[in-house]
Amino acid sequence: QVQALSPIRHLPQAPCKMVVAWGADETSGFHDQSHAWLAAWRGAGHPAVELMMPGRHHFDTVLDWCHDGSAMTQALATMILG
C-alpha cells in the first residue's frame, strides 16, 4: 500500500518545472531517492534541475534560500522567472 501512495507513482500529466536539491552530506538513501525522483520526473517529460549542495543535509539545505547568490536561490529564481 505504501508503494501505491508514493508521489513517484502519481506524476502530473501537464509539464511542470522542478528543482531537486539534496545535500552532499546526506546518506546514500537520500541521494538514491533524489536520483530516482529525477529519473521519474524527467521520464514523464518534465524539465528538472538537479542540485547537489556541498556541506549540506536535509535539515539545512533550505537555509540557502536566505542568500540571494546561493545556487539554490538562483535555481529557484530561474525556474520561476525563466
Side-chain angles (χ1 to χ4, degrees):
Q1 184 179 20
V2 172
Q3 289 292 325
L5 298 174
S6 172
I8 206 166
R9 302 198 186 290
H10 301 281
L11 300 173
Q13 298 295 317
C16 181
K17 299 175 188 175
M18 181 175 286
V19 175
V20 179
W22 66 94
D25 293 348
E26 300 284 5
T27 62
S28 62
F30 283 101
H31 288 257
D32 294 346
Q33 183 181 45
S34 296
H35 287 111
W37 180 258
L38 277 165
W41 196 255
R42 289 174 173 159
H46 304 308
V49 172
E50 61 184 278
L51 182 60
M52 185 173 68
M53 303 173 66
R56 294 289 192 198
H57 53 73
H58 62 279
F59 288 118
D60 66 3
T61 55
V62 297
L63 297 177
D64 281 19
W65 281 331
C66 298
H67 306 286
D68 290 347
S70 74
M72 179 86 125
T73 300
Q74 293 301 313
L76 182 61
T78 299
M79 182 185 75
I80 293 170
L81 301 173

